[in-house]
Amino acid sequence: MNDFDARFLSRNGLAARQLAVLLLHHEPDTRLPRVRDFAEELGCGNGTVQAALQLLEESGAISTTARGHLGTFLAHSDRTVLWRLSGLGTLLAAMPLPYSRRYEGLATGLRGAFEEAGAPFAVTFMRGAGARTAALLEGKVDLVVLSRFAADQLIGRHPVELMADLGPATYVGAHGMLVRHGVDLDAPGLRVAVDHTSEDLRMLVERAFAGREDIEWREASYMQLHDLFARDEVDATVWNLDEAQHRIGPGVEVRPLGDEVTRELALRNSSAAIICRTDGAKALATIRDTLDLSLVTRLQSDVLKGDRIPSY
């Protein structure tokens, strides 16, 4: 460890790390709070704040300029350096398994947007929004990617907040009714596949077959769909067509969803959302404010069209 690194472990260095978090919220060419205002927020003396600012300038994280009675302005900031010095670390996001090109594109877009915003970013993959949310609440991950519909359900039940909504067709392209060829959907004893680890799919399936008391529910994951249909063990389901297109055989028809309510629910399921813990929202606020969501969708679109190799 060199002398400069050791200085960041001192009292002034600790203040510099705390100050780095605050400065992530400031854009270049904007006036900074007064030294005594920073000191009050950090709970330290004016001299400590001045030494912390000097440490950050020496590190190349920021440069400031004094403009007389107008105050001190932030002339330049390197968000990557500020983030590193802040001690916030690499953001770990939990996403669905990358079994579709859309999810690969989403992971690629998120990595590009977060890194452009100056935040190191990594992805871990978990099946089921419930499992991903549990990891978030346990502090194992910092962010969770899921559908906007699932996010809305979880926000009402857990201390989590919405960080971003990426818009329609960013999470899935579309949902549809999968029906084994020749099956009468009105026939009694219809065998319907459902994945209870997915709140989205469970709600869609239950909505699509609402009022039916003669349904035989069959638990299934997307990996099992092809075999279940091929072995004549299920007759129908509602599924994400990004997943289903490689998992169904020639004997299965894809039909559009029915009523307007179901279609509206499917639309909310198609939008990707990012949630974070409520107690971590303040630290992530600067990233939320500077995250270029259009870059996420642009990179995702490039991957979907085959113009970009997935990178995450």
Side-chain angles (χ1 to χ4, degrees):
M1 178 180 290
N2 58 40
D3 292 339
F4 182 79
D5 291 331
R7 291 168 67 188
F8 272 86
L9 299 177
S10 66
R11 177 182 298 178
N12 292 342
L14 176 60
R17 294 167 73 88
Q18 295 173 320
L19 197 56
V21 176
L22 299 180
L23 290 173
L24 281 166
H25 295 264
H26 293 273
E27 295 295 327
D29 203 33
T30 58
R31 186 173 65 181
L32 292 175
R34 296 170 299 181
V35 168
R36 67 170 178 263
D37 294 330
F38 274 138
E40 182 177 348
E41 185 162 1
L42 297 180
C44 62
N46 292 351
T48 300
V49 170
Q50 289 170 334
L53 285 168
Q54 183 177 347
L55 274 175
L56 293 176
E57 293 219 34
E58 291 174 357
S59 73
I62 63 168
S63 61
T64 62
T65 180
R67 298 184 184 176
H69 69 279
L70 294 177
T72 300
F73 282 69
L74 182 64
H76 166 77
S77 67
D78 187 321
R79 298 181 62 80
T80 301
V81 177
L82 280 173
W83 187 276
R84 176 173 57 82
L85 294 177
S86 73
L88 294 174
T90 298
L91 291 175
L92 182 61
M95 289 190 60
L97 303 179
Y99 45 68
S100 72
R101 184 57 65 92
R102 192 175 307 274
Y103 283 154
E104 288 190 313
L106 181 57
T108 300
L110 287 172
R111 177 184 176 184
F114 273 92
E115 291 185 352
E116 185 177 85
F121 180 80
V123 179
T124 185
F125 298 101
M126 300 181 186
R127 180 171 175 263
R132 296 194 294 277
T133 303
L136 177 67
L137 295 173
E138 293 167 6
K140 296 178 180 178
V141 299
D142 304 296
L143 304 167
V144 162
V145 179
L146 69 179
S147 75
R148 178 58 193 268
F149 172 77
D152 289 342
Q153 305 300 306
L154 292 168
I155 288 170
R157 302 197 300 259
H158 301 287
V160 298
E161 293 187 12
L162 181 69
M163 182 174 176
D165 183 330
L166 300 175
T170 52
Y171 193 67
V172 298
H175 290 85
M177 180 89 71
L178 305 183
V179 183
R180 193 164 53 82
H181 186 71
V183 165
D184 179 3
L185 290 178
D186 295 323
L190 193 70
R191 300 165 300 174
V192 178
V194 61
D195 182 358
H196 282 97
T197 67
S198 171
E199 186 75 1
D200 304 354
L201 290 174
R202 182 189 66 79
M203 287 289 293
L204 281 169
V205 171
E206 290 180 355
R207 183 69 61 86
F209 294 97
R212 295 283 299 270
E213 298 182 358
D214 60 333
I215 295 292
E216 292 183 20
W217 299 105
R218 302 294 176 89
E219 187 66 31
S221 74
Y222 80 99
M223 295 289 292
Q224 299 168 313
L225 272 185
H226 177 273
D227 289 340
L228 290 174
F229 275 112
R231 295 199 301 262
D232 189 22
E233 294 183 16
V234 298
D235 300 310
T237 189
V238 175
W239 217 268
N240 165 11
L241 297 183
D242 289 335
E243 299 176 13
Q245 60 182 342
H246 302 301
R247 294 286 169 186
I248 57 176
V252 179
E253 306 173 24
V254 178
R255 301 182 187 178
L257 295 177
D259 60 271
E260 291 297 329
V261 175
T262 303
R263 281 194 289 270
E264 189 276 333
L265 185 59
L267 181 63
R268 281 197 290 148
N269 271 295
S270 80
S271 296
I274 306 172
I275 60 172
C276 63
R277 291 185 302 277
T278 299
D279 61 8
K282 185 175 180 180
L284 292 170
T286 180
I287 295 301
R288 177 169 49 200
D289 294 341
T290 58
L291 197 64
D292 184 357
L293 300 184
S294 68
L295 178 60
V296 180
T297 53
R298 189 162 63 249
L299 293 178
Q300 183 184 46
S301 177
D302 288 345
V303 170
L304 283 170
K305 291 185 294 185
D307 295 336
R308 178 182 293 272
I309 297 175
S311 175
Y312 49 86

